[in-house]
Amino acid sequence: MTAIIVVSHSEEIANGIKKLISQMAEGVQVIPLGGSDGTIGTSFEPIQQAIEGLKDDAICFYDLGSAEMNLDMAIEMYDGQYRVEKVEAPIVEGSFLASVNISTGMSYEQVVESVESEYR
């Protein structure tokens, strides 16, 4: 099943999104990556480690500038067997929509298209 990666400058936001999704779209794996060493920010290494450790395809969401930059670098460096794609959508709404669609059995391509078309 497709996973959701959430990259936020805030650990609380990333974990809050995971909590929301776990209550609304049971069974969807959410990987929250928030904050940097207990402060506001993002760090490349945890993002890269999460992507390298995937056991399925993943759709990624981010909140602000360096979250996108670090996510882009990690995706570019990834040469594993799974599909990993960044989607341009609001972090909460986009990840929520994607997770609900995943939980209903949509394919990876259908989930990405549904989120992208909603927020174009």
Side-chain angles (χ1 to χ4, degrees), residues 85 87-90 109 112-120:
E85 190 168 336
V87 177
E88 301 292 337
E109 294 82 7
V112 170
E113 175 58 32
S114 71
V115 175
E116 287 180 339
S117 67
E118 182 70 25
Y119 296 103
R120 278 190 196 139

Side-chain angles (χ1 to χ4, degrees), residues 2-23:
T2 301
I4 302 287
I5 295 176
V6 176
V7 181
S8 173
H9 280 68
S10 167
E11 182 177 6
E12 290 84 2
I13 289 173
N15 289 331
I17 292 170
K18 179 179 180 167
K19 185 175 181 179
L20 172 71
I21 290 172
S22 71
Q23 292 180 18

